[in-house]
Every structure is written in structure tokens, then in C-alpha cells.
Amino acid sequence: RPMPGDLGLAGSPTPDIARFLAVRTASDASLSRDGAQLSFITSTTGQPQLWAVSLASGYPAVPAPRQLTFAPNGVTTQSWSPAGGWIFYAADRAGDEREGFYLISPDGAEERELLPPSDAFRRFGAWSPDGRHIAYTSTERDGIDFDVYVMDIAPDGTAGAPRRVLESTGAVSVSAWRPDGGALVLARARSETANDLLLLDLGSSHLDTLFAPDSAASFRGISWTPDGRGFYLATDDGRDASGLAYYDTTARALTWIAVSPHEVSDAALSSDGRWLAWSENVDGYTALHILDLKGTGHEEQPDLPRGVYDIAWAPDAPVLAIRVAGPRLPGDIFTYDPPSHRLTRATRSTAAGLDLDQLVVPRTVSFPSWDGNTIHGLLYLPATAAHRRPPVLLALHGGPSSQARPTYQPLVQ
């Protein structure tokens, strides 16, 4: 039966599980246009809310973050407008995944409701490059299929009525706007990990199929070059492991940029087209690469803690936001400026009184299965394992489309 818990005192050699569950993280990083401010989501208050921080010369000189939203049921996603005046966010009702859409000013003093929650599912896509429109998909029409919508956003935050620009079938999402704002790259899901890639011309409503291979593949991390002639992406089209590629929309040709035995997880190009960042999955950990395409051709590798990374550039500045989550860093956000080689820690989430240096860092292991495939796993050994054999717990995840990654796992720790 339920028993009352005892949090105990900070620094205990045997901390209560409540402390592991109270550790906070920062996620869903989005940079302002000039890269000088960062918005993110954290559940410090008990609910995931939108916060922002102004970036200074480097931590601990970064000013204290400020809470922007106070939504009763928490924020699910957010994105800073490329025009700079507003931050988009979505919030559902008690976790029902049916989101309302909102805007809030960077100082938190003004809010606008774009769309109230309804019975429809919605998926935010992206801001247009000029910050005057948002694109998203929704099941408003029939409750099943995700159609594509565009909504105009005026500088004062007032919004026009949503325009359905594509009546679609199945699970469709918006991957990216073309730099001129005249077209959308769409992903149509074929499975949990595979999708087709489409290009919707907003002027003519013409829908062009870019990739729909017979053998299902994934296409993600769509990053247009500034001239709009093509985009970089991560794909496993025709390969066992995803690689980094460039797609020329005029020649309709895919060129491989970087291929290795390791999966390329994501790709992102800075707005000026100079810095190409991509991440590789190496035994569960992320290896980050930042390549100077226009200067020396030198590759940057900022000195980050080991873990799993999410990356996103500022809309109009060579500043990269990197969310790092590892066994001893539950989830915080760094920014990196390649021209100056400056790495800044933008958030420092509470560890709830735990000594994070005492947490177990797992070992990556692999072994053959009965069918000859290689099984990947993470082995967590307690400190006493050197002196006696500990009991063993096998934790099996629920399907073939995911992988155990070395992030913070409170129940495992």
C-alpha cells in the first residue's frame, strides 16, 4: 500500500528516490534572432513552463533565467520568432496532447491566444524565415488526417485565420520553410522511423514528391542553403546507417557529404550558410561536428560534457544552442559561437541535493542475438560491484525503433 516518503537530508550516502525524481532539466532550446537570448522549457515549478535567459560573457556571468509562462497544465513546445518580437508556445489540457497555440513577448508582459485547444491534434512546424507566418499540421477536418495550415502573424502579435494549404492523408508534419518563404518541406510518416519527403509550393499549391523510396527510409534535419537551391539532411536512403547528405532541388540529386559506420542523427546549417553542424551516434553518445564551409574548412569541436545532444542555430547569427543530457548532467543548455570559439553554459538546473559526480556512468556493451544481429545495451554497475556480485535487473525497452542512450535515468540511478 502507499507509504509516506522521507526525502531525508541532502548529501546522504543513500538518498531517497524522491531526490532522483526531483532533479530538473532544461530542454527545447530556441535562440533569439541575434543569439543573445535563449528560451527553453523546464519543470522547476512542477509543471513544464517557458523560461528565458539573456546570454552574457559566459557562466556564471549569465543573468538569472526568468519564468515567462504560468500555464496550469504546462508547455509542450516553444520557438522564438525570427523577427524577434514574440515567442510561440503550445500547451495542452492535462496531458491530452490536444494543444492550444499562443504567443508571448520575450519579457513575459504580453500574451496572445492564436488557437484555443480543441478536440483536434496539432503539430507545430516552424516560423517562416521572416517571422510573419507559422506553419503547422492538424486533424481539424476529420479527426484523423493531418492537413497543413499556415497562419499569418502581424508584428503586434495579432493573427489571421488559419489557411488550409494542403488537404492530406495520414501523419504529415512540417519539416522546414524554404528560405524565400514560398514553399514547405513536409514529412509523411511511413513508420515510427521512416518517412517520405514532399515539397509544397504555397503559390501554386503544387505538391512535389522529393523522396518516396520503395525501401522505407528516414529524412530529417532539413537545413536549406541561403540561396534556396538545396538543403542538407540526415538520411539512411539506400544505406544501413544514416549519413549526412546534400540535396540539389534543381538537379534532383543527392550528394553524400559525410558517411561513417555511425548514424548521423541531425543536421543544421547556420543562417549565413557558413557553419554546418551535424551529430553522430557513437555507442549511444553524441559526437558533434561543426564544419566551416566558407573559411578554412576547419572542423570545430567544442569541449562539451559527454552525453546526448540536440542542436539548433539562432535564426540570424552563428550561435549554436546545444542541449546536453548525460548520466551526470541530467539536461542543460550550452551555446557555442564558432567564430570566437566561445562556449557558454546558459542553464544550470538543480540537482535536488544529489552529488551528480556520484551517479553511475554506464558502460556500452554489445552482443550477438540469435539471428546474428548485434544487440546494444548500457551496463550500470554499482560501486560495490568490484567486491561482490550485485543482483541484476534487465530493463528492456518496448520496440525496435529506439535505443538505450546514456542520458539521466532517475529510476536506474
Side-chain angles (χ1 to χ4, degrees):
R1 66 182 186 275
M3 300 292 289
D6 180 12
L7 184 63
L9 300 176
S12 168
T14 56
D16 188 82
I17 192 172
R19 287 198 180 273
F20 292 89
L21 298 174
V23 170
R24 302 306 185 199
T25 66
S27 63
D28 207 31
S30 180
L31 285 162
S32 63
R33 178 175 181 173
D34 59 1
Q37 298 186 75
L38 172 80
S39 56
F40 58 95
I41 294 174
T42 184
S43 58
T44 294
T45 62
Q47 288 281 1
Q49 301 288 358
L50 175 61
W51 290 63
V53 64
S54 296
L55 304 173
S57 59
Y59 202 91
V62 172
R66 57 194 183 278
Q67 184 177 348
L68 300 183
T69 63
F70 297 82
N73 296 311
V75 171
T76 53
T77 190
Q78 60 92 24
S79 179
W80 206 298
S81 165
W86 299 95
I87 302 172
F88 167 91
Y89 75 91
D92 63 11
R93 299 167 296 189
D96 66 357
E97 299 183 2
R98 291 162 169 83
E99 298 169 329
F101 286 175
Y102 309 89
L103 296 178
I104 192 165
S105 59
D107 61 3
E110 292 186 75
E111 262 177 305
R112 304 281 190 271
E113 182 181 73
L114 301 179
L115 292 171
S118 69
D119 291 334
F121 291 95
R122 299 184 183 124
R123 293 177 182 170
F124 175 70
W127 285 94
S128 63
D130 62 3
R132 299 298 297 268
H133 319 275
I134 61 169
Y136 67 96
T137 56
S138 173
T139 62
E140 302 275 356
R141 177 173 53 86
D142 62 6
I144 299 173
D145 299 304
F146 282 86
D147 298 329
V148 183
Y149 293 81
V150 170
M151 179 180 282
D152 300 337
I153 308 293
D156 65 358
T158 57
R163 305 190 312 276
R164 188 168 65 226
V165 295
L166 179 67
E167 189 173 298
S168 188
T169 58
V172 174
S173 58
V174 176
S175 295
W177 287 78
R178 198 169 62 194
D180 64 0
L184 296 171
V185 179
L186 307 176
R188 175 177 286 145
R190 289 174 63 171
S191 69
E192 287 187 4
T193 59
N195 63 280
D196 295 335
L197 211 61
L198 316 170
L199 183 68
L200 175 64
D201 187 288
L202 295 175
S204 66
S205 299
H206 176 69
L207 185 65
D208 186 13
T209 299
L210 303 180
F211 293 97
D214 293 336
S215 180
S218 66
F219 305 89
R220 57 187 183 272
I222 310 302
S223 293
W224 285 90
T225 55
D227 58 14
R229 294 180 179 178
F231 51 79
Y232 293 93
L233 74 161
T235 179
D236 59 357
D237 187 21
R239 289 177 47 82
D240 289 333
S242 292
L244 176 69
Y246 172 77
Y247 181 71
D248 186 314
T249 57
T250 301
R252 302 182 74 88
L254 189 72
T255 302
W256 294 103
I257 305 300
V259 292
S260 78
H262 306 297
E263 292 271 354
V264 173
S265 307
D266 200 3
L269 183 68
S270 62
S271 60
D272 60 2
R274 177 174 177 177
W275 302 96
L276 177 62
W278 72 95
S279 56
E280 293 184 1
N281 180 341
V282 181
D283 292 333
Y285 287 92
T286 297
L288 177 63
H289 305 269
I290 304 173
L291 183 63
D292 185 352
L293 295 177
K294 295 184 177 180
T296 62
H298 179 69
E299 184 174 311
E300 300 280 330
Q301 289 185 322
D303 186 19
L304 291 160
R306 292 190 75 199
V308 178
Y309 305 161
D310 298 310
I311 56 176
W313 290 100
D316 196 27
V319 180
L320 184 67
I322 310 160
R323 197 258 181 168
V324 181
R328 292 179 173 175
L329 183 66
D332 271 313
I333 300 164
F334 295 73
T335 63
Y336 183 65
D337 182 339
S340 66
H341 313 290
R342 187 176 69 193
L343 181 68
T344 301
R345 182 168 180 173
T347 67
R348 189 176 291 270
S349 302
T350 179
L354 294 176
D355 181 356
L356 297 181
D357 290 337
Q358 298 303 311
L359 299 184
V360 176
V361 176
R363 245 174 25 208
T364 58
V365 297
S366 60
F367 48 90
S369 73
W370 59 271
D371 59 1
N373 285 318
T374 299
I375 302 298
H376 166 89
L378 297 174
L379 176 62
Y380 292 78
L381 288 173
T384 57
H387 308 293
R388 62 181 178 85
R389 288 186 176 182
V392 174
L393 170 69
L394 275 178
L396 309 177
H397 66 72
S401 61
S402 61
Q403 173 193 6
R405 305 288 302 269
T407 58
Y408 174 68
Q409 303 288 344
L411 299 183
V412 173
Q413 293 291 348

